[in-house]
Structure formats: C-alpha cells, structure tokens
Amino acid sequence: MNPKEKYIRELFVTAGYVFPTTPTEIEQFKSSNDTESISPPDWNDPLKILERGTQKFTGNISTNITDADIQNLAMAARQGKSIPNDVRQKMIEDKKNAKK
Amino acid sequence: MQKRDNLQFYLHLSLIIVNLLMMDIEQLQDILLSFAYKENDTKKAHEAFVIVYRTFSKTVFSVAKKKLKDLRIYDEEFMNTVVNNTFLKIYENPNLEFTVNANSSVISSFEAYLVTILKNEIYNVLRKEEIRVPLVLKADLPDGLFNDAQIETKNSESENTKLLNEVLNTMSERDRGILLALYNYHEEGKKTPSDVLDVLAATYGTSRVNIRKIKQRGEEKIKEFFSKQSQLKPLK
C-alpha cells in the first residue's frame, strides 16, 4: 500500500468501516473497544466447536431495519428507556418474518 | 467423576492461558503443530484448541459483533456461525508458516490473522447469498440507538471520523460503496479478487477500469478534504 492508501485505511479502520487485519489495527481496535467483557458463546466448552464441525448459515440474514423500526427504537431511546433485549429481538424477528 | 475431571482439565488449561498472555512464537508454533498432528495425539490437539479459543475468541468475537452491526446485520446465528468456522479453520488447516509481524506481539499478530479469516468467512457467506449490504455511515443513525453493553467504544467519535463521514457523504452511494468494498477486501501483497471486482461492477453498473478510477477519485477527494482542514489530527 502506498502512504496515501495507508492513511485512508487507518481512517476507515478507526471509523469501523474496515476490518482491523494488521497487528497495529488490532491494537487500535482493542484500545477503542471493550473486548474483555464479551462472552463468546463456547467459552465454557470450546470443544463443542470441534464436535459441531463447519456450520452453514441457513437462515435469512436480516440486513436492514425499516424506518419505522428505527423511529420506534429512537423514540424509546429518547425517553431515556433502555430497550429490553427481548423487545429488541422481537422487533428484529417481526422484521424477518415480514419478509417471508 | 466426569464433572471433576472436566473442572481439572479446564483449571489446568487456565494456568497455561495465563502464561500464554506472554505467548512467544515457539509456543504458538507448538499449538499449530499439535493441530497438524491431531490424529496422532488428539488429547494434545484438544488442549491446544481450548487454549487458542480462550486466548483469542474475545477479540475475534468483538470484531465480528462490531463489524456486523456496522454492516446492519443483526443476526446472532450468522455471527456465531462465522466465528465457529473461523476457529475450526485454524484447527483443521493450521498455518505452519505463520510468522509474527516485525515490532508486533505474537498475540496481536495471530489475532490479525484470525480476523482476516473471519472477514473472509463473512464476505463469502454474503457473496453466496448475493447480499449487497447497505453501508450505513454512523452519522445516519440516531445517537445511542443500539446501546450494546458488551461492545462500548471507549472514546467518543473522533474528530477524524467525523471529518471522514463528512467527505464520504459528499460521494455518491456508488462511489462510497466501491471505495469501502475495495478497502475491505484488501489484503497486503494481494490483488482484489476478480470475483469481487465482477460483483462490484455488476452491482453498480460499471466496469473494472472505472472501478479503479472511482477508487483513485475517492482517495484524492479524502486526501484533499483532510489537507484543507486546519484542525487535522494526525493519526497515531
């Protein structure tokens, strides 16, 4: 990469638009994001991954949210209420089901 | 009896993991070798896998979660699938020629390697599904919309990111999409995959030659925009 491309790439990585794929970018990502409190799904039994084998994604990827969804969530956020996970999940599921 | 055995197994590994936070390249190479010879010594390979997962999964999972959120993909099954396959790949096809980048730690170098695999997993699925993921710039979403307690950015949006959003917003969706896609698919020392260029050309109704010009134009625009800003904060 030339210097201009490197500079632009740093901007993109910092903004979160590009995956951090160099050690420096990883360090920057870790310093900007709390990676320690995350709970990976197989933390308690990583060998389950080996038992499971390669997974194929078979669902319909929910790739966007309607303006109405955004408005609903934004309204609740402005009222200072946090969106319960089950409510948020239901809104996303409703969106998925609406597409079927 | 089995519960106690499992507990002892994981306690034993936890002690190793603490030491591996200062992992050197030989330790990592031993781990990768144990994957390569897993049929000769499955127990050792399994122990090594647990160490790798416990050492690196938090970073990989964090990147997956954040990146998929940025791509407006809110699908936990999808996220778990790509992370699952990322770790399985290194177990099944360990890269015995893995080397550490100069002036970098073993941990960061290997995390970078894992995130590259993760990135390819994600984009392979998206390409198979022929999903063109809309690129949502942070400025487009209301503040605090998805307040995810698990991934919290430590710093508020930096000045550079604000400026970047400003200049990206002056571009057409096509130019912005092409520019970001090319940077996302970039791997040091490799050309952009042909099928990626073909998908971009088809998606945006343009040609490979024009894609190159769009990239150059976009880069010049960003460079000029930033050079005009008096409060340019140089990146570390």
Side-chain angles (χ1 to χ4, degrees), chain B residues 20-38:
Chain B
L20 282 175
L21 290 175
M22 304 295 289
M23 188 185 281
D24 62 33
I25 187 62
E26 274 144 14
Q27 286 168 311
L28 181 60
Q29 283 169 344
D30 279 346
I31 286 173
L32 295 173
L33 265 173
S34 71
F35 291 166
Y37 290 98
K38 52 185 166 289

Side-chain angles (χ1 to χ4, degrees), chain B residues 10-26:
Chain B
Y10 286 117
L11 272 174
H12 161 67
L13 289 176
S14 298
L15 288 170
I16 298 175
I17 287 162
V18 167
N19 291 329
L20 282 175
L21 290 175
M22 304 295 289
M23 188 185 281
D24 62 33
I25 187 62
E26 274 144 14

Side-chain angles (χ1 to χ4, degrees), chain A residues 9 18-23 25-26 29-30, chain B residues 56-64 67 82 86-87 90 107-123 184 187:
Chain A
R9 186 179 162 83
V18 164
F19 283 85
T21 52
T22 67
E25 290 168 1
I26 289 284
F29 179 87
K30 283 159 79 169
Chain B
F56 299 109
S57 62
K58 289 192 175 196
T59 299
V60 172
F61 203 77
S62 301
V63 172
K67 260 322 280 176
V82 293
T86 296
F87 281 95
I90 54 158
I107 300 270
S108 298
S109 293
F110 201 67
E111 282 171 340
Y113 173 64
L114 286 170
V115 168
T116 302
I117 297 174
L118 171 79
K119 180 191 81 170
N120 292 335
E121 277 294 310
I122 290 173
Y123 283 123
N184 259 310
E187 273 185 56

Side-chain angles (χ1 to χ4, degrees), chain B residues 94-210:
Chain B
N95 178 6
L96 298 180
E97 290 168 14
F98 175 80
T99 52
V100 176
N101 296 51
N103 303 319
S104 302
S105 71
V106 172
I107 300 270
S108 298
S109 293
F110 201 67
E111 282 171 340
Y113 173 64
L114 286 170
V115 168
T116 302
I117 297 174
L118 171 79
K119 180 191 81 170
N120 292 335
E121 277 294 310
I122 290 173
Y123 283 123
N124 284 342
V125 174
L126 294 180
R127 272 144 71 183
K128 274 186 200 153
E129 301 285 325
E130 293 180 348
I131 286 173
R132 177 183 152 191
V133 181
L135 290 156
V136 179
L137 298 181
K138 287 188 182 357
D140 294 346
L141 292 173
D143 292 335
L145 176 60
F146 283 102
N147 191 18
D148 192 324
Q150 284 196 301
I151 301 273
E152 287 186 6
T153 52
K154 288 182 182 171
N155 308 312
S156 58
E157 192 177 272
S158 71
E159 190 60 35
N160 280 345
T161 299
K162 284 182 189 158
L163 291 173
L164 178 65
N165 285 343
E166 222 176 292
V167 65
L168 287 175
N169 270 324
T170 65
M171 295 180 194
S172 65
E173 194 203 322
R174 178 194 74 165
D175 287 11
R176 198 165 59 223
I178 286 172
L179 186 62
L180 286 169
L182 291 174
Y183 271 84
N184 259 310
Y185 277 100
H186 171 79
E187 273 185 56
E188 196 62 38
K190 291 183 182 176
K191 289 186 180 178
T192 308
S194 296
D195 58 338
V196 170
L197 291 172
D198 290 339
V199 166
L200 284 174
T203 303
Y204 292 107
T206 186
S207 65
R208 283 201 195 190
V209 170
N210 207 29

Side-chain angles (χ1 to χ4, degrees), chain A residues 1-2 4-67 69-75 77-78 82-83 85 88-89 92-93 96, chain B residues 10 46 49-50 53-54 57-59 61-63 65-67 70-75 77-78 80-81 84-85 88 91-92 101 104-105 107-109 111-112 115-116 118-119 122-123 125-126 129 131 134 136-138 141-142 144-146 150-155 160-161 164-165 168 179-180 183-184 186 188 215 219-220 222-223 226 232 235-236:
Chain A
M1 268 191 152
N2 61 46
K4 181 176 66 179
E5 286 173 327
K6 277 188 183 159
Y7 179 68
I8 291 172
R9 186 179 162 83
E10 275 190 53
L11 289 171
F12 285 162
V13 170
T14 304
Y17 298 144
V18 164
F19 283 85
T21 52
T22 67
T24 308
E25 290 168 1
I26 289 284
E27 289 295 334
Q28 280 170 0
F29 179 87
K30 283 159 79 169
S31 69
S32 305
N33 295 277
D34 178 12
T35 57
E36 279 308 307
S37 55
I38 200 119
S39 302
D42 294 301
W43 184 261
N44 291 330
D45 193 1
L47 297 179
K48 283 265 184 260
I49 293 174
L50 305 184
E51 279 174 40
R52 225 178 272 139
T54 303
Q55 298 292 288
K56 271 196 178 161
F57 180 72
T58 54
N60 291 314
I61 299 175
S62 175
T63 58
N64 54 42
I65 298 179
T66 64
D67 289 344
D69 293 331
I70 291 177
Q71 286 306 320
N72 285 337
L73 290 171
M75 269 168 52
R78 280 197 292 272
S82 61
I83 313 297
N85 276 336
R88 179 167 38 179
Q89 204 49 45
I92 292 169
E93 283 302 319
K96 262 192 210 170
Chain B
Y10 286 117
H46 283 187
F49 184 79
V50 172
Y53 189 80
R54 291 265 173 90
S57 62
K58 289 192 175 196
T59 299
F61 203 77
S62 301
V63 172
K65 196 157 189 164
K66 184 157 194 337
K67 260 322 280 176
D70 286 345
L71 292 171
R72 295 173 85 184
I73 295 174
Y74 306 99
D75 196 307
E77 188 201 332
F78 180 75
N80 291 342
T81 297
N84 181 97
N85 291 348
L88 199 56
Y91 181 77
E92 289 180 343
N101 296 51
S104 302
S105 71
I107 300 270
S108 298
S109 293
E111 282 171 340
V115 168
T116 302
L118 171 79
K119 180 191 81 170
I122 290 173
Y123 283 123
V125 174
L126 294 180
E129 301 285 325
I131 286 173
V136 179
L137 298 181
K138 287 188 182 357
L141 292 173
L145 176 60
F146 283 102
Q150 284 196 301
I151 301 273
E152 287 186 6
T153 52
K154 288 182 182 171
N155 308 312
N160 280 345
T161 299
L164 178 65
N165 285 343
L168 287 175
L179 186 62
L180 286 169
Y183 271 84
N184 259 310
H186 171 79
E188 196 62 38
K215 178 179 179 274
E219 287 168 345
E220 272 312 307
I222 293 172
K223 185 183 154 203
F226 271 80
L232 173 64
L235 292 167
K236 287 179 193 171

